[in-house]
Amino acid sequence: MAIDWQPLVEIIDRSQSFLLTTHCRADCDAVGSELALAALLRSRGKRVAIVNGDAVPEHILFIDPQHQVQVLGEDIKLEEIEFDALIVVDTSAWGQLGPMANVVRQFPGARAVVDHHVSSDDLGATVVRDDTAEATGRMILELAERLEAEVTPEIARSLFAAIATDTGWFRFSSVKEATFLALAKLVAAGADPPAIFSALYEQHSLARLHLRGRILSHVVSDLEGRLMSTHVTQEDFSETGANETDTEDAINSLHTVAGSEVAVLFVELQENVTKVSLRSRTDFDVSKVAAQFGGGGHRAASGIRFAGLLDDARKAILDALRVAME
Ligand SMILES: [Mn+2]
């Protein structure tokens, strides 16, 4: 998909200072895109601050060694926010911005969004969207090329990590030729894949490994193995000492079973909220089922925040999947 960068380039050209933000519970695509975009803008003499609604999750802190990401209300106050332009990356959903939603809503200057998600709200912004892109990070690389900016080793590392994580280390169906062409450019510019892999996947806690054991032991198979699901309870968290971010990537283990088409992970959060992740490895579109429950995402990967108990979430969503997958 050819992206029209011109409206965003015009905002960049006419603005001197930029506020960058992304979704809460940020991932490497979110933070990597923010950091790379910040470096690009600074290389053009712009003033840039990155302010998120919550802190960068601990397991991806390696991506921001200089602690450039600030947290609203902790590192920077609302009244200190004065910028010409605001750019939101890797989300277009009010509900994912957390405390930054108000900042975006009241922002008086130019607003822009760079995102690859299908489902979107109207943020009152100039939107650059490519829902065929595997990661926002690859879109930022394209912007760098459009701006003829130098891709420094820092930018390369941030964007490599962004693309690597949003593609599950290049194994999701969203991966295409353009992915590897971008990665080749990033490696040429100084990204070090083994170092990034180790920082991402080989620095976890023992608690996370124990939690993974529980997630695997809870797996149940449905529709003769086409629908695989599992869950994590608050008790699993407290007994292993792991936390919610330690569930990341666990769902993909369910697809290691032959014949599995759709995988679902239910995570019991506090206050009767259940977080649901869905992954499809066929043409079956999990975002349609997610949408039935107010969730969103892509055909191959979607999520739901279900207002209800774990057992109720399992019953409702697995029932809906059984019907949809028949
Ligand atoms: Mn992303």
Side-chain angles (χ1 to χ4, degrees):
M1 192 175 130
I3 301 171
D4 180 11
W5 289 104
Q6 194 51 35
L8 179 58
V9 170
E10 279 168 21
I11 291 173
I12 291 172
D13 284 344
R14 69 167 190 260
S15 309
Q16 267 317 302
S17 57
F18 292 81
L19 173 63
L20 309 186
T21 194
T22 187
H23 54 85
C24 284
R25 295 174 300 279
D27 54 20
C28 278
D29 189 28
V31 180
S33 295
E34 285 182 310
L35 291 169
L37 182 55
L40 285 182
L41 293 169
R42 287 190 188 115
S43 76
R44 297 172 84 79
K46 314 288 187 181
R47 180 170 70 88
V48 186
I50 305 172
V51 182
N52 292 352
D54 63 1
V56 176
E58 207 162 332
H59 69 288
I60 61 162
L61 264 180
F62 76 92
I63 201 174
D64 183 20
Q66 293 166 35
H67 301 287
Q68 293 184 50
V69 177
Q70 299 182 284
V71 179
L72 182 68
E74 289 175 25
D75 307 307
I76 184 165
K77 300 213 168 16
L78 194 58
E79 51 274 19
E80 293 172 282
I81 289 184
E82 221 172 279
F83 300 87
D84 298 335
L86 163 77
I87 306 178
V88 180
V89 298
D90 200 40
T91 182
S92 328
W94 286 118
Q96 294 191 330
L97 290 169
M100 282 302 290
N102 264 336
V103 174
V104 176
R105 214 170 252 123
Q106 292 164 17
F107 191 80
R111 299 179 202 179
V113 169
V114 180
D115 188 22
H116 68 131
H117 293 95
V118 180
S119 41
S120 63
D121 296 335
D122 181 3
L123 302 189
T126 296
V127 179
V128 183
R129 181 186 316 287
D130 180 359
D131 58 27
T132 69
E134 67 289 73
T136 299
R138 189 166 63 76
M139 298 178 68
I140 301 294
L141 176 63
E142 208 177 307
L143 176 63
E145 289 169 347
R146 173 71 174 71
L147 295 172
E148 294 177 1
E150 187 201 349
V151 178
T152 62
E154 290 69 31
I155 292 174
R157 177 177 177 273
S158 297
L159 295 182
F160 191 101
I163 297 170
T165 48
D166 262 29
T167 59
W169 206 261
F170 329 120
R171 71 186 192 277
F172 296 164
S173 59
S174 57
V175 168
K176 51 203 159 186
E177 186 183 358
T179 315
F180 292 104
L181 291 172
L183 295 166
K185 290 174 189 165
L186 296 172
V187 171
D192 178 356
I196 295 169
F197 184 89
S198 181
L200 280 169
Y201 302 116
E202 299 177 337
Q203 305 294 328
H204 296 311
S205 64
L206 181 59
R208 184 180 173 115
L209 192 64
H210 284 151
L211 187 77
R212 181 64 62 97
R214 299 223 174 182
I215 292 171
L216 297 182
S217 71
H218 295 160
V219 173
V220 287
S221 142
D222 217 327
L223 297 180
E224 293 167 331
R226 294 168 56 217
L227 173 58
M228 307 287 289
S229 64
T230 188
H231 65 270
V232 185
T233 63
Q234 281 294 310
E235 197 176 59
D236 291 324
F237 288 127
S238 60
E239 288 179 5
T240 58
N243 59 45
E244 193 199 326
T245 61
D246 290 316
T247 64
E248 196 192 47
D249 206 43
I251 188 171
N252 297 308
S253 304
L254 276 60
H255 278 324
T256 61
V257 180
S260 132
E261 294 174 9
V262 171
V264 194
L265 170 66
F266 297 91
V267 180
E268 182 181 56
L269 304 179
Q270 268 138 7
E271 284 146 8
N272 293 346
V273 174
T274 304
K275 180 183 149 188
V276 188
S277 305
L278 305 109
R279 298 285 184 276
S280 168
R281 66 169 182 182
T282 65
D283 287 341
F284 183 80
D285 185 349
V286 287
S287 73
K288 287 185 181 158
V289 174
Q292 288 176 35
F293 297 93
H298 309 277
R299 178 192 61 75
S302 289
I304 302 163
R305 284 181 85 81
F306 185 93
L309 295 170
L310 175 67
D311 285 345
D312 297 333
R314 289 181 65 198
K315 184 169 186 330
I317 292 163
L318 291 177
D319 277 351
L321 281 165
R322 279 185 207 105
V323 169
M325 289 175 68
E326 277 309 340

